[in-house]
Amino acid sequence: MPKKILLIVLFISFNSFAQGEANIWYFGYLAGLDFNSGSPVVINDSQMITYEGCSTISDASGKLLFYTDGVRVWNKNHQIMSNGNDLLGHSSSTQSGIIIPKPNNPNIYYIFTVPELAGPDGLRYSEVDMSLDGGLGDITSKKNILLYTPSCEKLTAIKNTAGDGYWVLSHGFGNNRFIAYNIKANGVNLNPIVSNAGSIIDGDRSGSVGYLKFSPNGDKVISSNRNLNVELFDFDNATGIVSNPIVILSNSWPNYGAEFSPSGNIAYVTTKDGDLLQLDLRASNIASTAATLHSNYNNPDPHIVSALQLAPDGKIYGALYGERYVSVINNPDVLGVGSDFVAQRLFLGNDATSISGLPQFIQSYFNVGINVLNNCLGENTTFSLSGNKSITSATWDFGDGTTSTDINPTHTYLSDGAFTVSVTAKSPGGTSSKTRDIIISKVPTATKPKDILACDDNNDGSYTFDLTIQNTAILNGQDPNLYKVNYFANNIAITTPTAYANKVAYQKEIITAEISNSANGRCKSSTSFAIDVFDSPLPELANAIPDLTSCDNTSVGTDVDGRISFDLTQRASAILKGQLATQFSISYYKDAGFTKLIAAPTAYQNTISTETIFVKVANKENPDCIATTSFKIAVLALPVVTATANLKQCDDDIDGFSIFNLEEAISKITTNASNETIAFFKTIADA
């Protein structure tokens, strides 16, 4: 084969699926990115200043053609086209413009525009002819052609199923109407496909704000409706019909940006306050999976994340309002923190600023190459070759010695590790070979730990938990260097698990612990445990509890042996000091080490006349919440009564009555008696 022909064949082989149309980005205040090297490189030649919506188009090899903010159009030399002013979009419209190539005509492009806040200009299109102005292009006489009004600030586009055209989708204002226009080789079909589905967007015109996006494979649509909700729809790519609305996020936040992951399985949404949320679209209850990846609430490092846009490198980039940076989601097909959101990912330069918008493209541009789903060990891993070509046959090598000739094969790997997958596919445009390195990762096992039952240190019902003390039990011997544990409360990631404050005082809260493989965050398992806060006992101090005393009696032995039966519970009220006996239990011990429990405290037999009783007070709902104190018991000796002579007194008035001095008798009777006994007899004498 001649060398020249060989080179042509190789070029076809390696580029029949290549798409560089989305490789150049211009947005914000003079900001730009170039993805032609495979990774974004900052460029600073933009002449555009736009608050929100914009669109850029390059040729298939990634060379810039033109860009627009929906009002003005700049050519590749960054000059405004001679007829490139006064388009009826708006630089402060969410998705002010999108560029669509005319099928089978490399010179003609259409710019679709929508105005700000559902203004009367509505959805329109203008035609660009790249053969004009010496190949720099210009707007033709087909300028600002009205399609529908009033329209929300929403525009998105996808290649159709047949591969011979595109769908441009917008949404009416004052209704729940989706309007889909079909663009084919004969131009824009002015008769739209209209679908009444989902929420009615009306009232305050600010409700027209928010992104509309197709999934890369074109089967789903997400609509971020600023003052209402976020909805997910099915899209019939063959007919243009939008159906099956599902509210996946309620109006907890004013919603703004939206984007799908490359697989279309995960959605991302931003809010007016700049928070970034993630949702698992495969879940039966999608709304319940909403997880906050970035929040500005009480965040010492706030960043307002606005527009989101999938890029040729398979990552999702986010505009950072008023910053010289853009953010990135490095692994958008991974749930949770494994998606790896980095706020200040790319510095745009000292003269450029990201505002609210990023350039938007036909979403099919990001449905290119080998798609892999389910790459955890034990799963049925599925493969597909995506792009804008019709695949007629394919030969796959899975990198482990097995092959397949299915166009969309499924394969189960028997071991974890790295594998190089290759495919040779045929389409009407030629033969293409692709390779992709994948990692099959082990799925960790999450072991359920014990609940964390905390003893309140100030009895206000609030407590700061260190959830990471559960890591060892949850991992249960698995290497913490290979697996990481993340914690969630109500499906929201807990960013500081070492200092997590419970939400409601004295109420059990369920914490979800998720173990993920560090190499592949999608390979994960989860368990849960409860946290709860209990009041701590606050018994009276030992020296403040009155002694429990009694005279010697025959309840035990004799009344002179110093041993009796005590009811220790007589001091329960003094011990609790106002805390409730229904909430706290009291146990009594003979020793300070609390090893000798007094099993029958209502009939305790002392062993010596004076003893210290040691007390342990515990919360009945959580016996680990304890405190200790003590009090004394004492047996008082009975008095020794001494016989004495009778008191005799002469009757000085012969009436049989006389006054006796009992003090003299008491002093004789109570010889050697205790003070308490003497007092007893004196009371009798006084009577």
Side-chain angles (χ1 to χ4, degrees), residues 256-289:
Y256 186 74
E259 185 58 288
F260 288 90
S261 67
S263 69
N265 292 329
I266 297 174
Y268 295 86
V269 175
T270 65
T271 72
K272 177 180 179 293
D273 296 325
D275 294 353
L276 174 63
L277 311 176
Q278 181 193 65
L279 300 108
D280 185 355
L281 303 183
R282 296 165 295 185
S284 57
N285 183 354
I286 297 171
S288 69
T289 69

Side-chain angles (χ1 to χ4, degrees), residues 414-620:
L414 300 180
S415 63
D416 62 305
F419 301 90
T420 298
V421 178
S422 62
V423 61
T424 299
K426 292 183 179 180
S427 74
T431 299
S432 177
S433 295
K434 292 282 184 181
T435 62
R436 177 175 173 177
D437 292 330
I438 69 168
I439 295 176
I440 301 297
S441 302
K442 288 182 179 179
V443 178
T445 300
T447 300
K448 186 176 181 64
K450 294 181 179 179
D451 296 340
I452 304 179
L453 307 179
C455 301
D456 201 352
D457 47 12
N458 60 3
N459 287 359
D460 65 352
S462 298
Y463 191 83
T464 300
F465 292 84
D466 180 1
L467 302 179
T468 63
I469 64 174
Q470 302 283 58
N471 285 7
T472 300
I474 294 168
L475 288 169
N476 195 21
Q478 297 171 103
D479 190 343
N481 295 315
L482 300 179
Y483 305 102
K484 55 185 176 181
V485 182
N486 296 307
Y487 295 92
F488 299 82
N490 294 322
N491 297 310
I492 298 175
I494 297 172
T495 56
T496 54
T498 56
Y500 176 72
N502 59 310
K503 302 302 182 186
V504 182
Y506 301 117
Q507 191 170 105
K508 181 183 292 186
E509 185 175 346
I510 301 300
I511 302 296
T512 299
E514 180 184 276
I515 307 181
S516 59
N517 192 308
S518 298
N520 183 351
R522 204 186 67 80
C523 302
K524 61 188 178 183
S525 61
S526 63
T527 185
S528 64
F529 59 92
I531 60 172
D532 206 348
V533 180
F534 299 86
D535 274 340
S536 296
L538 301 172
E540 183 62 88
L541 298 176
N543 57 9
I545 301 174
D547 295 346
L548 181 60
T549 62
S550 182
C551 294
D552 201 351
N553 56 51
T554 58
S555 60
V556 176
T558 68
D559 60 1
V560 293
D561 60 2
R563 297 178 65 240
I564 67 170
S565 176
F566 283 92
D567 181 1
L568 303 179
T569 63
Q570 290 179 335
R571 289 293 175 264
S573 178
I575 292 168
L576 290 175
K577 198 177 65 171
Q579 290 185 304
L580 300 176
T582 55
Q583 187 178 4
F584 296 95
S585 63
I586 302 174
S587 51
Y588 304 85
Y589 294 82
K590 296 180 181 181
D591 63 318
F594 297 95
T595 61
K596 299 176 181 179
L597 176 67
I598 298 173
T602 58
Y604 173 66
Q605 300 177 12
N606 64 307
T607 55
I608 57 176
S609 60
T610 300
E611 290 184 10
T612 298
I613 301 298
F614 298 92
V615 179
K616 182 184 291 184
V617 184
N619 191 307
K620 291 181 178 180

Side-chain angles (χ1 to χ4, degrees), residues 260-470:
F260 288 90
S261 67
S263 69
N265 292 329
I266 297 174
Y268 295 86
V269 175
T270 65
T271 72
K272 177 180 179 293
D273 296 325
D275 294 353
L276 174 63
L277 311 176
Q278 181 193 65
L279 300 108
D280 185 355
L281 303 183
R282 296 165 295 185
S284 57
N285 183 354
I286 297 171
S288 69
T289 69
T292 302
L293 300 183
H294 171 76
S295 174
N296 287 314
Y297 179 72
N298 287 336
N299 191 336
D301 188 26
H303 302 281
I304 299 176
V305 187
S306 298
L308 299 171
Q309 179 58 53
L310 189 57
D313 62 0
K315 302 178 181 181
I316 294 176
Y317 290 83
L320 293 180
Y321 182 79
E323 297 192 40
R324 290 189 170 91
Y325 291 86
V326 289
S327 61
V328 67
I329 304 169
N330 284 303
N331 305 310
D333 269 316
V334 175
L335 289 172
V337 294
S339 59
D340 192 18
F341 170 73
V342 180
Q344 293 182 320
R345 170 61 180 85
L346 280 174
F347 179 63
L348 298 172
N350 292 324
D351 298 322
T353 304
S354 171
I355 309 181
S356 291
L358 288 175
Q360 62 168 337
F361 305 91
I362 299 168
Q363 290 290 91
S364 308
Y365 291 158
F366 310 108
N367 191 28
V368 178
I370 296 175
N371 291 332
V372 182
L373 290 177
N374 306 327
N375 54 344
C376 300
L377 185 63
E379 292 182 332
N380 292 324
T381 304
T382 59
F383 299 88
S384 61
L385 226 180
S386 58
N388 62 353
K389 303 295 181 181
S390 299
I391 308 301
T392 57
S393 66
T395 301
W396 294 83
D397 185 332
F398 301 121
D400 64 348
T402 57
T403 61
S404 174
T405 56
D406 293 340
I407 292 178
N408 298 306
T410 297
H411 178 62
T412 302
Y413 287 88
L414 300 180
S415 63
D416 62 305
F419 301 90
T420 298
V421 178
S422 62
V423 61
T424 299
K426 292 183 179 180
S427 74
T431 299
S432 177
S433 295
K434 292 282 184 181
T435 62
R436 177 175 173 177
D437 292 330
I438 69 168
I439 295 176
I440 301 297
S441 302
K442 288 182 179 179
V443 178
T445 300
T447 300
K448 186 176 181 64
K450 294 181 179 179
D451 296 340
I452 304 179
L453 307 179
C455 301
D456 201 352
D457 47 12
N458 60 3
N459 287 359
D460 65 352
S462 298
Y463 191 83
T464 300
F465 292 84
D466 180 1
L467 302 179
T468 63
I469 64 174
Q470 302 283 58

Side-chain angles (χ1 to χ4, degrees), residues 106-171:
N107 288 322
I108 302 298
Y109 291 82
Y110 300 109
I111 301 175
F112 288 78
T113 60
V114 286
E116 180 191 32
L117 298 177
D121 288 332
L123 172 63
R124 296 175 182 261
Y125 82 94
S126 301
E127 183 183 76
V128 177
D129 186 344
M130 293 304 298
S131 67
L132 300 177
D133 194 18
L136 294 177
D138 202 359
I139 305 290
T140 70
S141 59
K142 294 181 179 179
K143 184 176 181 180
N144 292 324
I145 307 299
L146 178 63
L147 295 172
Y148 182 90
T149 190
S151 170
C152 292
E153 299 182 2
K154 299 179 184 292
L155 270 179
T156 188
I158 199 74
K159 197 170 186 67
N160 65 18
T161 301
D164 61 355
Y166 303 91
W167 291 106
V168 171
L169 186 68
S170 187
H171 195 291

Side-chain angles (χ1 to χ4, degrees), residues 1-139:
M1 180 183 293
K3 291 183 178 180
K4 183 179 293 186
I5 296 176
L6 175 61
L7 289 174
I8 293 173
V9 171
L10 288 174
F11 179 81
I12 293 173
S13 173
F14 287 99
N15 291 280
S16 62
F17 295 127
Q19 296 181 103
E21 291 90 342
N23 281 2
I24 302 295
W25 293 20
Y26 290 115
F27 57 96
Y29 184 92
L30 307 178
L33 296 173
D34 183 341
F35 286 87
N36 279 299
S37 66
S39 297
V41 176
V42 173
I43 50 178
N44 297 114
D45 51 3
S46 173
Q47 296 300 304
M48 181 171 63
I49 298 173
T50 179
Y51 187 79
E52 294 183 74
C54 50
S55 187
T56 309
I57 192 73
S58 301
D59 63 20
S61 63
K63 294 180 180 178
L64 175 67
L65 294 176
F66 61 92
Y67 55 102
T68 180
D69 62 357
V71 179
R72 297 161 293 179
V73 186
W74 288 265
N75 62 29
K76 66 181 180 181
N77 290 337
H78 308 286
Q79 301 166 334
I80 295 177
M81 294 179 179
S82 60
N83 193 28
N85 274 305
D86 302 321
L87 271 63
L88 296 180
H90 197 285
S91 65
S92 190
S93 171
T94 306
Q95 294 171 277
S96 62
I98 192 168
I99 302 168
I100 311 296
K102 184 178 183 180
N104 299 330
N105 190 330
N107 288 322
I108 302 298
Y109 291 82
Y110 300 109
I111 301 175
F112 288 78
T113 60
V114 286
E116 180 191 32
L117 298 177
D121 288 332
L123 172 63
R124 296 175 182 261
Y125 82 94
S126 301
E127 183 183 76
V128 177
D129 186 344
M130 293 304 298
S131 67
L132 300 177
D133 194 18
L136 294 177
D138 202 359
I139 305 290

